[in-house]
Amino acid sequence: MIAFGMDVAVPAPGYAEHFALVRQINTEAGHIPQDSLDAWQETGPLHVRREFAQHLQQITESGLLHLVSPFPGVTMPSDAEIADIVTSGVHVFLHG
């Protein structure tokens, strides 16, 4: 389960080009027209976050999950922090 959690939490090697593009867009954001950035955000990252948040909300409303905030931060955790989070989540799942 920990290996599965790590696979979900860490971008797959097959998507390296996608995440390189995202990093480039973030780096060049000051040079890209705002309406283009807004359109990209709406059709990509924000769309995915809204869908994911909606699913988390449904699970929370059903009583299967207690969630304070679906997106607690804006910075990416380190690999060690991801491993700790995934391991803790698996522990809670197995012992909850």
Side-chain angles (χ1 to χ4, degrees):
M1 290 185 77
I2 292 171
F4 172 75
M6 291 300 295
D7 285 346
V8 171
V10 178
Y15 296 97
E17 291 87 4
H18 168 77
F19 289 103
L21 177 61
V22 170
R23 285 191 303 276
Q24 187 66 35
I25 290 170
N26 289 330
T27 300
E28 297 293 331
H31 305 288
I32 299 172
Q34 190 60 48
D35 59 337
S36 296
L37 288 173
D38 292 344
W40 173 70
Q41 285 286 330
E42 282 298 322
T43 59
L46 293 177
H47 174 74
V48 171
R49 286 183 181 182
R50 280 192 293 273
E51 291 291 318
F52 188 61
Q54 180 182 358
H55 288 289
L56 289 176
Q57 185 66 36
Q58 290 171 349
I59 295 168
T60 300
E61 289 172 359
S62 73
L64 297 173
L65 179 67
H66 173 70
L67 201 61
V68 176
S69 171
F71 300 103
V74 294
T75 59
M76 286 298 295
S78 68
D79 288 346
E81 290 170 323
I82 290 172
D84 287 344
I85 291 167
V86 169
T87 301
S88 295
V90 169
H91 179 77
V92 168
F93 175 78
L94 292 175
H95 300 292

